[in-house]
Amino acid sequence: MNLAAELAVRAARHGWRDRTAYLTKSARVSHGQVHDLAARAAQVLAGLGVGPGRRVLLALPDGPEWIITFLAAARLGAVPVLTNPALPAADHAHLVQECEVALIVAEEPLLSRFADRTTIEVGHLMARAATASVARAHPVRPDAPLYIQYTSGTTGRPAGVVHRHGDLAHHHRAVAAHMLRIRATDVSLSVSKLFFAYGFGNSLVYPLYTGSAAVLLADRPSPARIEELADRFAVTVLHAVPSALAHLTAEASPAAFDRVRVAVSAGEPLRPSLADRACRLLGAPVLDELGSTEAGGAFCAQTLAHAVPGTVGKALPGFRVEVRDARNRQVTTPGVEGDLWASGPTLMAGYLQQPARTADVLRDGWLRTGDRAALDEHGNVVHAGRADDLEMVGGITVSPLEIERVLDDHAAVRESAVAAVPDERGATKLRAFVVALDRSDHDVVARELLAEARQRLAPFKVPRSVEFVPALPRTATGKLQRFVLRTGRP
């Protein structure tokens, strides 16, 4: 099999070639155009020395050209390396060296940083592809490397994760078919970008496997931009992160989302209060999912058929999850928290050139996800945050998520985060960082928040202070950078 050839055949077999695959502010591209141009772009890449096993760095903003270049490399049996085009030059240089990249595809402004490597400007690639012949698809086994994707780096230097040609079909079955029931008539919009595992599934895997369409954005969309695009393109499936949903509920109008039938939240725990606000805004269910770069996407989620508020549902088809204690024993007692482990057909073989780090998270076909979780009485997974998010205060380990759920229930709070911050003597004290929904009197809101926390939480979990901030520090994927808050200078 070869993924690129398989998807092209699938589009023809199901009659999708003339259906719109991708929408941008200036173009509509059909499924047939995507696959035809990818087959021709592959011939151009082959002329530049790209072949089976060679690695091609994609340093591109989201757009049809991204999809076409990815499929072109895959058609040759080459391995695209997915990267954020906004990374610093030093980070790109590290990826190029670590992955032994043979070719870089980028826009003109970035090409100068790769002067010592073979490069091609993406517009030039597309222009040459328009008149090139069709490249033959290189046959590969399902377990052959397809692409390398880097982790977000929230717990250390980003690590390269290799995924295979056979992985994408599993994600389609688990998420697009089972969880979301995506059909050819759907139009998706993803806040997360293609170079992240979440965005890759949303904007490449699900549309190409279902014949549906996806809106692609080169930039990071504001709430107003999301609202405008959802209305203009009649979006039916919205993929977001909790921070984006928080801003939407504060700034957007429900009328723009009247054709949305389902939304997805990922990247961080979705607080019940925010889920309720988002459901009211969108007039549709908001499903929480949990995944990772190491798993290639979601492995556990609520679904249209089964969504218990306050949980991330159960393992998706093909996957298993377990909660384990500190001695690596499975925990089945409801409400008892432990480390979350996952297994399934799309787990990475390992981190690129990092065997020790691989051995730390992969054991006997199971992935230690780095998440903390418990099971409810029906076997649903209750996410308790990342293991490295736990705070130590006065010798006691505290989960900030429990505190943040209390703070987020206040009508004046858009979002909050709690961290242990050292005081002038070096003693750590819990501080709540709050983004307000409006211009309410901050002193009054702070007193109300602390009073509510004292009523609902154990004394050692009550923040000592509340600081109002315009925004919380986040990664490009929208994940909270709690380590920044711990400095006391967000």
Side-chain angles (χ1 to χ4, degrees):
M1 66 168 290
N2 178 295
L3 175 85
E6 175 194 343
L7 290 173
V9 170
R10 184 180 179 90
R13 183 191 309 131
H14 290 282
W16 297 334
R17 283 183 53 81
D18 293 331
R19 296 191 65 87
T20 298
Y22 293 105
L23 298 144
T24 70
K25 63 181 180 181
S26 59
R28 287 176 178 258
V29 183
S30 71
H31 284 270
Q33 289 173 314
V34 166
H35 294 301
D36 289 350
L37 197 52
R40 298 177 188 278
Q43 191 69 268
V44 180
L45 296 183
L48 294 170
V50 175
R54 304 299 298 276
R55 292 170 182 167
V56 179
L57 186 77
L58 271 60
L60 297 169
D62 282 18
E65 298 83 0
W66 198 108
I67 307 289
I68 291 164
T69 305
F70 179 93
L71 294 175
R75 188 175 185 87
L76 297 173
V79 182
V81 179
L82 317 185
T83 185
N84 184 346
L87 286 179
D91 289 352
H92 276 153
H94 170 74
L95 300 189
V96 167
Q97 182 176 9
E98 181 173 82
C99 295
E100 300 176 339
V101 167
L103 176 72
I104 294 98
V105 183
E107 292 186 325
E108 185 63 43
L110 277 185
L111 292 182
S112 61
R113 65 173 54 173
F114 306 111
D116 60 337
R117 301 278 175 162
T118 303
T119 64
I120 185 168
E121 196 275 326
V122 67
H124 188 203
L125 172 61
M126 295 299 113
R128 289 178 61 183
T131 58
S133 58
V134 171
R136 181 181 69 88
H138 180 76
V140 297
R141 293 171 53 87
D143 60 355
L146 172 63
Y147 64 97
I148 298 173
Q149 195 161 47
Y150 274 76
T151 59
S152 59
T154 54
T155 58
R157 190 179 187 96
V161 174
V162 182
H163 284 290
R164 301 160 291 261
H165 277 256
D167 289 1
L168 273 57
H170 292 290
H171 291 303
H172 156 63
R173 287 191 290 269
V175 179
H178 175 77
M179 176 187 172
L180 300 176
R181 300 174 185 169
I182 294 178
R183 299 290 183 264
T185 52
D186 277 308
V187 179
S188 299
L189 171 60
S190 175
V191 173
S192 185
K193 297 302 182 183
L194 277 160
F195 47 83
F196 299 117
Y198 182 39
F200 181 79
N202 301 339
S203 299
L204 187 146
V205 180
Y206 313 149
L208 295 184
Y209 267 98
T210 62
S212 60
V215 181
L216 295 181
L217 299 169
D219 55 357
R220 191 172 179 178
S222 65
R225 182 82 170 125
I226 295 171
E227 182 178 9
E228 185 260 322
L229 292 169
D231 184 44
R232 188 206 305 182
F233 293 121
V235 167
T236 61
V237 182
L238 177 65
H239 304 271
V241 296
S243 58
L245 291 174
H247 293 305
L248 277 178
T249 58
E251 301 176 30
S253 165
F257 303 99
D258 60 357
R259 282 153 294 191
V260 171
R261 64 173 184 82
V262 63
V264 183
S265 176
E268 287 186 308
L270 178 64
R271 314 260 170 75
S273 57
L274 175 56
D276 288 343
R277 297 202 308 270
C279 285
R280 290 196 298 271
L281 171 72
L282 302 174
V286 179
L287 305 179
D288 201 2
E289 74 173 29
L290 182 62
S292 70
T293 307
E294 292 86 346
F299 54 80
C300 182
Q302 298 174 343
T303 70
L304 284 168
H306 180 82
V308 177
T311 79
V312 287
K314 297 182 178 182
L316 290 167
F319 296 90
R320 295 171 62 197
V321 294
E322 287 184 0
V323 176
R324 299 182 184 178
D325 64 18
R327 297 174 63 183
N328 206 31
R329 299 174 301 189
Q330 185 177 1
V331 176
T332 57
T333 305
V336 177
E337 189 177 300
D339 294 320
L340 187 66
W341 291 71
S343 70
T346 65
L347 295 191
M348 66 173 186
Y351 293 120
L352 191 67
Q353 299 183 21
Q354 297 193 49
R357 191 171 174 184
T358 298
D360 186 50
V361 301
L362 276 184
R363 301 175 192 172
D364 302 321
W366 285 83
L367 170 73
R368 180 169 61 83
T369 66
D371 295 288
R372 297 284 292 174
L375 301 177
D376 70 7
E377 61 273 20
H378 302 294
N380 296 292
V381 175
V382 180
H383 192 209
R386 298 286 297 173
D388 57 339
D389 272 348
L390 298 178
E391 300 296 295
M392 183 67 73
V393 182
I396 302 174
T397 300
V398 177
S399 172
L401 294 187
E402 180 185 2
I403 306 167
E404 291 159 7
R405 290 190 187 103
V406 172
L407 303 179
D408 286 352
D409 282 345
H410 194 287
V413 174
R414 175 178 296 187
E415 57 179 344
S416 68
V418 173
V421 179
D423 62 15
E424 64 279 358
R425 295 183 176 180
T428 55
K429 304 289 175 58
L430 288 179
R431 183 181 302 175
F433 297 88
V434 173
V435 180
L437 272 169
D438 51 35
R439 295 173 180 260
S440 304
D441 186 316
H442 287 179
D443 290 338
V444 172
V445 174
R447 287 196 296 271
E448 291 174 351
L449 289 174
L450 294 177
E452 185 70 11
R454 293 187 190 99
Q455 288 240 332
R456 295 170 56 182
L457 298 169
F460 66 89
K461 296 179 181 179
V462 176
R464 294 294 185 91
S465 61
V466 177
E467 180 176 339
F468 289 86
V469 294
L472 298 176
R474 296 187 178 277
T475 67
T477 60
K479 293 182 179 180
L480 179 69
Q481 294 177 309
R482 203 176 297 275
F483 69 90
V484 175
L485 296 179
R486 290 173 184 141
T487 69
R489 298 183 298 275

